[in-house]
Amino acid sequence: MENKKQLDLIGKKIIKKDDQMYQIIDFLNKNLKDRNIIFGLSLRDQDHMEITIYYS
């Protein structure tokens, strides 16, 4: 049986679409992974993105 660790959602925010956000999220994930904080980014619609922050 797999032992899956659940992620706890800390917060989320919808913002206007910005192509540079992928670089920012990548930077944050690389620099905060040792603190068990994970950032996510998803496209909500043509003009908006959602940023999520998780603690593992």
Side-chain angles (χ1 to χ4, degrees):
M1 187 189 285
E2 279 186 44
N3 186 11
K4 293 185 180 181
K5 192 171 186 178
Q6 186 170 345
L7 300 177
D8 294 320
L9 179 65
I10 295 174
K12 59 183 172 177
K13 177 76 174 171
I14 296 175
I15 61 169
K16 286 186 180 181
K17 185 178 175 185
D18 183 340
D19 292 335
Q20 289 189 324
M21 281 306 297
Y22 292 103
Q23 293 176 14
I24 294 168
I25 296 299
D26 186 50
F27 170 79
L28 291 169
N29 280 330
K30 286 179 181 176
N31 288 282
L32 295 173
K33 66 181 174 185
D34 61 333
R35 298 184 186 183
N36 297 323
I37 297 175
I38 301 166
F39 292 82
L41 185 64
S42 61
L43 193 58
R44 296 290 292 184
D45 58 42
Q46 195 171 2
D47 299 319
H48 297 91
M49 305 174 114
E50 183 176 64
I51 300 171
T52 51
I53 307 170
Y54 298 96
Y55 181 77
S56 64

